[in-house]
């Protein structure tokens, strides 16, 4: 999967515009809620914002999408393809 929102989300995050980056990732989830990467990115963004409950929700979604991954492990960092 490659969503156009991924790069814009990365740029927004680099500029400190975390709320806008979250909106971009939520748009990606609306496109395909079974794709794990936006959930990982959301978890990291939410943590940066201090929104730990929402971050944990996204981690749980990630683990539900990848049942073979140990639930005690955090999801990988969102990739930053360039």
């Amino acid at each position: 999967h490659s969503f156009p929102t991924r790069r814009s989300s990365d740029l927004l995050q680099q500029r400190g515009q975390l709320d806008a980056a979250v909106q971009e990732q939520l748009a990606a989830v609306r496109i395909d809620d079974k794709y794990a990467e936006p959930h990982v990115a959301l978890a990291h963004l939410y943590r940066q914002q201090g929104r730990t409950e929402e971050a944990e929700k996204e981690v749980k979604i990630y683990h539900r999408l990848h049942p073979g991954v140990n639930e005690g492990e955090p999801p990988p960092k969102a990739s930053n393809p360039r």
Side-chain angles (χ1 to χ4, degrees):
H1 285 81
S2 177
F3 295 111
T5 58
R6 180 70 204 159
R7 287 192 185 210
S8 59
S9 175
D10 289 344
L11 289 172
L12 291 166
Q13 185 176 2
Q14 290 170 7
R15 293 179 183 158
Q17 298 174 337
L18 300 181
D19 289 335
V22 165
Q23 292 307 312
E24 291 292 315
Q25 292 302 323
L26 290 172
V29 168
R30 284 191 295 274
I31 292 169
D32 183 357
D33 66 348
K34 302 294 186 239
Y35 183 48
E37 187 169 335
H39 295 288
V40 172
L42 281 167
H44 289 286
L45 287 165
Y46 287 151
R47 282 189 184 118
Q48 286 181 305
Q49 293 178 313
R51 298 163 65 180
T52 55
E53 286 183 26
E54 289 164 285
E56 288 305 312
K57 176 184 167 196
E58 294 301 328
V59 169
K60 287 179 183 179
I61 293 169
Y62 169 81
H63 285 294
R64 188 174 68 234
L65 294 172
H66 292 283
V69 175
N70 180 351
E71 289 203 26
E73 297 175 17
K77 291 207 176 217
S79 64
N80 209 358
R82 300 259 188 266

